Amino acid sequence: MASLGTHPLVVGSVQRVRFVSSAPIPPTTWIDRFPARIRPYLHLTRIDKPIGTLLLFYPCTWSITMASYALDAPLTTNLAYIGLFGLGALVMRGAGCTINDMWDKNLDRAVERTRMRPLAQGALTRSEALVFLGGQLAIGLCVLLQLNWNSILLGASSLSVVTIYPLMKRITYWPQAVLGLAFNWGALLGWSAVAGTVNWSVCFPLYLGGVCWTLVYDSIYAHQDKIDDVKAGIRSTALLFGEKTRTILSTLSATAMSLVTYAGVVNAQGAPFYLGIGLGGAQLAKVLWRTNFDDRVSCWKGFLGCGWAGFWVWMGALLDYGAKAAGIL
């Protein structure tokens, strides 16, 4: 049970005492419609917060669509891989959350926003989470096995980065960079799935651009917890950048869009692709202009807003691919 504290309120000459729980009450979501024994597992995957899946998914879509454009792949090929990677992103994002929470069970208890996560509050044990993780990884493997052997090996190699990410917040102020390495693996894997091998001249700058993009959105995300993080000994770029956050993230945003643009130039993309990059860059600029890094609600909105930048890059690539397939450009 959460500890209770008192908060005296004085109205006229009468003092009233209100008891307030020190732990936040988790918001009601569609997950609460499920049986009680299932809910902790669903909460563990953060399936009610799709932004994490989308952030993992978008670099896959960039790479798949750019490869389809370069190879003149049929629309059915593009859609098949988009669907397959969408399922993979959903499953593996959930697996990543399970791994993260198994590492961070004790740390999560020290942070207001995370103390009600299933492992932190004791709704699940580490053993139960480990068995569940085995099931998640088994499903992820089934998805991965639908790809060619080069892609299977490349995809499997990403698991080491996913596994060590939670450890990084204990030893470095750059855990967001490690997250970027993991979350943008699809920029390499998507091309490999379509083409059978990675075109590094296109995919490497695309991957680095995605890493810079991740540094932007996850630094904003980390600002939500910076007060609790100091107390808990958790490190992040939010604490490292401090008052220079807006300037640094603006530079990273420009770098991200520049690297993706360079990837497009190498891939001989057409005008619609760069329109998407322009919209993505404008979205990041709007987020950084509006976000108050000392306000949790504003940071959450900014974090969500960064996701739209990835969406617009995909839409630009998709429009370009569609125009080329239709013979318009």
Side-chain angles (χ1 to χ4, degrees):
M1 178 180 294
S3 61
L4 299 178
T6 60
H7 178 68
L9 295 177
V10 179
V11 180
S13 60
V14 180
Q15 185 182 65
R16 299 178 182 177
V17 178
R18 178 183 301 166
F19 291 89
V20 182
S21 171
S22 62
I25 299 174
T28 301
T29 71
W30 57 266
I31 289 178
D32 296 303
R33 300 175 184 174
F34 284 81
R37 66 181 181 277
I38 297 177
R39 289 177 210 157
Y41 292 99
L42 295 176
H43 281 298
L44 186 62
T45 67
R46 322 271 209 277
I47 197 171
D48 56 328
K49 298 179 177 67
I51 180 61
T53 299
L54 292 173
L55 293 171
L56 182 60
F57 177 57
Y58 286 143
C60 305
T61 67
W62 306 343
S63 188
I64 290 169
T65 308
M66 292 175 73
S68 298
Y69 175 92
L71 300 173
D72 293 319
L75 180 61
T76 53
T77 297
N78 182 272
L79 293 178
Y81 283 116
I82 290 293
L84 193 63
F85 275 71
L87 176 60
L90 177 66
V91 173
M92 293 310 297
R93 185 266 181 142
C97 290
T98 301
I99 293 171
N100 183 80
D101 288 9
M102 289 175 67
W103 272 99
D104 288 353
K105 177 180 178 180
N106 295 327
L107 288 180
D108 282 344
R109 290 172 177 167
V111 178
E112 180 181 353
R113 186 180 56 82
T114 61
R115 66 180 59 173
M116 295 304 292
R117 287 178 175 173
L119 282 164
Q121 66 168 315
L124 290 176
T125 66
R126 277 200 176 102
S127 296
E128 290 171 327
L130 182 61
V131 172
F132 182 58
L133 175 62
Q136 291 174 295
L137 294 178
I139 297 173
L141 179 61
C142 289
V143 175
L144 187 62
L145 289 175
Q146 307 309 305
L147 307 180
N148 57 67
W149 275 107
N150 283 338
S151 300
I152 291 171
L153 295 174
L154 180 61
S157 66
S158 69
L159 194 59
S160 58
V161 185
V162 174
T163 302
I164 66 169
Y165 158 67
L167 177 64
M168 294 299 103
K169 67 187 72 172
R170 296 163 169 81
I171 61 176
T172 177
Y173 283 99
W174 291 94
Q176 283 70 30
V178 180
L179 181 69
L181 296 177
F183 254 55
N184 292 280
W185 209 261
L188 309 176
L189 189 58
W191 192 292
S192 177
V194 175
T197 187
V198 179
N199 182 340
W200 290 101
S201 64
V202 175
C203 293
F204 191 61
L206 188 68
Y207 178 66
L208 291 180
V211 172
C212 290
W213 175 54
T214 302
L215 278 165
V216 174
Y217 66 67
D218 205 48
S219 294
I220 295 174
Y221 185 87
H223 269 279
Q224 296 178 103
D225 303 324
K226 57 188 176 184
I227 295 176
D228 289 336
D229 285 351
V230 170
K231 299 175 183 177
I234 299 172
R235 302 178 184 184
S236 71
T237 50
L239 296 175
L240 179 65
F241 297 163
E243 296 298 322
K244 298 179 181 179
T245 291
R246 201 177 311 275
T247 300
I248 294 173
L249 296 191
S250 296
T251 302
L252 285 168
S253 295
T255 302
M257 293 298 102
S258 297
L259 285 165
V260 176
T261 298
Y262 177 73
V265 171
V266 174
N267 202 42
Q269 296 283 162
F273 179 82
Y274 303 108
L275 174 61
I277 292 176
L279 291 172
Q283 175 66 19
L284 290 176
K286 183 174 73 172
V287 165
L288 292 173
W289 177 262
R290 292 182 175 180
T291 300
N292 177 357
F293 297 107
D294 294 320
D295 181 86
R296 286 181 175 174
V297 174
S298 181
C299 287
W300 176 251
K301 289 180 179 179
F303 171 67
L304 294 177
C306 287
W308 283 100
F311 172 80
W312 288 122
V313 172
W314 177 30
M315 287 299 101
L318 190 60
L319 181 60
D320 202 14
Y321 167 62
K324 183 183 181 184
I328 298 174
L329 294 177

